Structure formats: C-alpha cells, structure tokens
Amino acid sequence: MKSFVERYEGKVFRVIEKFKLLREGDKVFIALSGGKDSGAAGYVLVKYVREKGIDCELTAFHMNLGLPSSKEVEEVVKEQAKKLNIPLVTCNVADYGVDMAKIAQLPRPICSSCGVIKRYLMNKIPREMGATKVATGHHADDFIVFFFKDILGGNFSWIAKFTPLLPGKGKSIARIRPLFWVGGRENKEFCDSIGLPYLEDACPYAHLERGKWYEIVEYMASKQPDFRRRMMIGIAKLAELLPEETQTLRECEKCGEPTSTKVCAFCRLVQAQKEVKS
Ligand code: AMP
Ligand code: ZN
C-alpha cells in the first residue's frame, strides 16, 4: 500500500501531466508565501522536474509585504528555498510605493487590496526577470471557496479561470496551480511528513474574511465522501464550458502593466494610499 506522501505526490504529478503545466525550456518562478500550500507546491514541482529530468529552471520568489511579521516570514521562505535547493528572489513591496499599514486603513477589504498588490508584482517581477510561468500554492479548497463566492456574487464568468493552467497573454505571464486536486489539510500533512518548515498564520488579517469559508468546505467534505475531488472535476468541466473573457487588455497609462482599465488597480491603490494620513 502506498504511503500518504506517495499518494499526495502522485496526485500532484497527475495534475502536472494532465494539464501540461511544464514544458522543456520553461523558467518557472515559484511564489512562496511562507505557508504550507506554496511550500508543498514548490517541493513537488522540484521533485517532478528532477525525477523526470525535464529541462526546466525553477526559482523561488517571495514578496516581503512589510508587515510586522514579514521578517519572520521571509526567514521561513529562505529555509524552504534551501530545502528545495533552488535560488530565491525576494522583493519588498515598499520599494514599489506600497505601505500596508495605510492600505489597511482604506475603506475597502484588506484581502482584496493585498490580492491586487500580489497579483501585480507576481506578474511584473518574474516577467521582467525572464520567467515563462509563475506557480502558486492555490489548492482545491481555495477554488471551492472562490466558486461559492462567485456564485453568490453573480460573477459567473470568473469561474472560467478555475483551471490548473492559465495561459499567458501579452504582458500577462502564464500561471500554474499544481495543487488543483489536493486540499489544505493534505498540504499540511504533506509538509509535516517531509519536514518542510512553514508558518501557520503567515497573514495577520487572514481571519477577517476567509476563515469561515474554509470551515464550511471542511464541514461539507466531512459529510460528503469524495467531496473535494468531485467538486474539482465539476468545476474544471464548468470552467471549460464558460466562454473566455472577452475583456481586451491594454497597458496602464501610468506604469505600462496589463489592465482592462485606463489606470491599473495597483496604480489606483497606491494613489488612494497616498491620501491616507499617517
Ligand atoms: P493567498 O492569496 O495569500 O492565498 O496566496 C495565494 C498564493 O499566492 C500562495 O499560495 C503563494 O503561491 C502566493 N503568495 C501569497 N503571498 C505571497 C508572498 N508574500 N510572496 C510570494 N508569493 C505569495
Ligand atoms: Zn499601473
């Protein structure tokens, strides 16, 4: 009988193969947050590339958010990159004009602002450094939570993006999510089993919005056998049926990064932050 670690790696390997997440010659930046999910994603990607002998360059990438906990987070990311035996690129969001303490005071949810900042820099920096893809630790529970939220919010077209491989377009770099078929609890068990260090609560704001949704997913999984796998198969099929977004991307008037509006969400956020009193 296969061990948990073997079964887990097998599931992630199958996602990499079925959805063709890696190609010869790829330069993949693995976005590490210091948590269990991205740590596990990085570990399995590295293992896959080494075992299969694929000509693929893997680099760890971390954005220091400038929060009180960020130093400690960066230290854990350094330990993870060392264990993965890959180089690490770090950046400070402060160098791009972001002050999280001020962003937290804006009359908009901090998690959505933080998401704007991370998506922006996770696209800009790896692309400028020659990456072809960015890998994240998004996993089945994340997609199930987003799925319910988008159904409730009527944002059906967003579900089209719920796939393990989001192809790149113009200045938007391709994104891969190898943990599409595994959940948060499995990622934790995997990191604990292989001795990969991670922080439990890397984000001091995490409890504000998202916590309850993950508890709901956990509850449903406890009541309905095979809930995660069946939901993910259904979501992936639905994503294929939905039409691709027709929004045309252009370049932000201020910074030149891809956006669907005149000025991108990141530039608007930094502008709004300037108006917050210190
Ligand atoms: P989150 O939006 O915090 O759930 O994070 C989703 C994914 O984004 C994680 O699994 C990581 O791959 C990546 N990520 C989040 N925060 C950071 C960070 N500070 N630096 C690099 N990657 C990050
Ligand atoms: Zn911009």
Side-chain angles (χ1 to χ4, degrees):
M1 174 127 150
K2 281 190 177 168
S3 68
F4 167 79
V5 167
E6 285 168 326
R7 275 184 280 126
Y8 178 93
E9 288 175 352
K11 267 198 225 178
V12 182
F13 276 24
R14 279 198 294 282
V15 174
I16 298 173
E17 280 164 6
K18 181 172 166 61
F19 298 93
K20 302 189 172 59
L21 300 193
L22 297 173
R23 292 204 184 271
E24 295 276 331
D26 262 340
K27 285 185 181 194
V28 184
F29 269 41
I30 304 169
L32 296 181
S33 65
K36 60 188 182 355
D37 307 319
S38 48
Y43 185 93
V44 183
L45 278 174
V46 169
K47 184 157 186 181
Y48 184 87
V49 165
R50 294 202 178 128
E51 257 183 30
K52 310 279 172 183
I54 299 174
D55 172 27
C56 222
E57 210 178 278
L58 300 177
T59 304
F61 173 62
H62 177 65
M63 297 168 278
N64 184 313
L65 296 167
L67 295 166
S69 56
S70 292
K71 257 206 161 116
E72 189 193 350
V73 175
E74 194 172 321
E75 284 312 309
V76 172
V77 170
K78 279 184 189 161
E79 285 176 42
Q80 290 182 333
K82 204 168 153 195
K83 178 140 176 121
L84 268 55
N85 197 17
I86 56 173
L88 169 67
V89 168
T90 59
C91 73
N92 290 305
V93 298
D95 294 340
Y96 294 84
V98 174
D99 180 340
M100 276 305 201
K102 285 189 179 169
I103 298 267
Q105 291 177 50
L106 291 172
R108 55 177 287 174
I110 175 79
C111 295
S112 93
S113 301
C114 185
V116 166
I117 295 160
K118 288 192 287 197
R119 275 194 300 278
Y120 179 87
L121 293 176
M122 217 188 268
N123 186 60
K124 179 181 167 70
I125 299 172
R127 189 195 68 235
E128 287 177 348
M129 294 187 74
T132 56
K133 283 172 182 155
V134 171
T136 63
H138 288 111
H139 54 83
D141 298 358
D142 292 325
F143 290 103
I144 295 170
V145 168
F146 297 151
F147 177 76
F148 284 124
K149 288 182 111 175
D150 288 345
I151 294 278
L152 292 183
N155 300 312
F156 309 126
S157 66
W158 293 359
I159 296 167
K161 292 195 167 174
F162 292 6
T163 63
L165 167 67
L166 266 184
K169 205 174 180 188
K171 279 186 162 181
S172 293
I173 196 164
R175 274 179 279 158
I176 57 173
R177 295 93 162 230
L179 304 186
F180 198 72
W181 282 347
V182 290
R185 202 144 38 94
E186 286 169 274
N187 299 337
K188 181 172 162 42
E189 193 178 339
F190 181 71
C191 290
D192 291 340
S193 306
I194 59 165
L196 186 73
Y198 63 89
L199 278 178
E200 291 274 0
D201 290 309
C203 173
Y205 299 106
H207 63 285
L208 288 181
E209 286 183 27
R210 297 213 232 158
K212 69 166 186 222
W213 283 100
Y214 289 85
E215 281 171 28
I216 293 169
V217 171
E218 203 59 64
Y219 179 75
M220 287 192 280
S222 74
K223 295 282 171 190
Q224 172 69 44
D226 217 12
F227 172 75
R228 278 192 185 84
R229 196 183 67 86
R230 286 163 63 185
M231 273 300 288
M232 293 316 288
I233 290 174
I235 289 175
K237 278 192 184 150
L238 189 59
E240 270 178 37
L241 291 177
L242 288 167
E244 261 189 61
E245 264 191 83
T246 45
Q247 256 180 0
T248 37
L249 284 186
R250 49 174 154 169
E251 292 186 3
C252 168
E253 262 182 12
K254 281 195 162 176
C255 69
E257 287 300 303
T259 176
S260 56
T261 48
K262 232 165 125 176
V263 174
C264 77
F266 178 85
C267 288
R268 281 184 275 134
L269 197 58
V270 171
Q271 183 56 40
Q273 173 213 294
K274 281 188 188 145
E275 282 146 32
V276 175
K277 293 188 187 75
S278 351

